[in-house]
Amino acid sequence: QAPLVESGGGSVQAGGSLRLSCAPATTGYTYSSYCMGWFRQAPGKEREGVATVYTGTGSTNYADSVKGRFAISRDNAKNTLYLQMNTLKPEDTAMYYCAAGPFEDYCSRVSDDYNYWGQGTQVTVSS
């Protein structure tokens, strides 16, 4: 039930890479058997789900637009969620948010299924 904190955003040229990190704000809290995911929102556009993972099994769910370029992962020892973003494109420019929610059936990429959010980290990709 703890909020989340993201880091790792920044500015990069097209074709470059960034790695976003997310961890619970409450020290010692573990999102065990939760859905966790990355969402993004560009100015004037709706929030979209980028990638999610079920922490109980590691099962992932990616948006078609990022398949083959982005990878969601967890470092259990550090209790940290990552989004590795490679071959970045200008259309990836957005505020990226980390989120967590209860697992019921599978981990969706629908924002309303997630209860806890980070403050967001800006990713800007220039051409």
Side-chain angles (χ1 to χ4, degrees), residues 33-35 53-57 59 101-108 113:
S33 300
Y34 264 71
C35 294
V53 61
Y54 174 46
T55 62
T57 64
S59 180
F103 175 82
E104 295 184 7
D105 187 18
Y106 75 106
C107 292
S108 76
D113 290 342

Side-chain angles (χ1 to χ4, degrees), residues 70-91:
F70 291 10
I72 188 170
S73 63
R74 280 177 55 82
D75 186 330
N76 291 329
K78 296 182 178 180
N79 194 30
T80 301
L81 180 75
Y82 299 100
L83 184 67
Q84 179 67 47
M85 304 184 294
N86 298 324
T87 319
L88 283 161
K89 304 175 180 180
E91 51 262 45

Side-chain angles (χ1 to χ4, degrees), residues 3-8 19-25 31 36-38 73-75 78-83 97-100 116-118:
L4 302 164
V5 179
E6 309 101 328
S7 63
R19 188 180 73 167
L20 307 183
S21 301
C22 170
Y31 280 98
M36 297 195 71
W38 293 96
S73 63
R74 280 177 55 82
D75 186 330
K78 296 182 178 180
N79 194 30
T80 301
L81 180 75
Y82 299 100
L83 184 67
Y97 299 89
C98 178
Y116 307 107
W117 294 83

Side-chain angles (χ1 to χ4, degrees), residues 4 8 16 47 58 60 64-65 71 73 87 89 95-96 100 109:
L4 302 164
R47 186 170 296 185
T60 57
D64 288 342
S65 61
S73 63
T87 319
K89 304 175 180 180
M95 185 73 73
Y96 283 71
R109 292 181 289 104

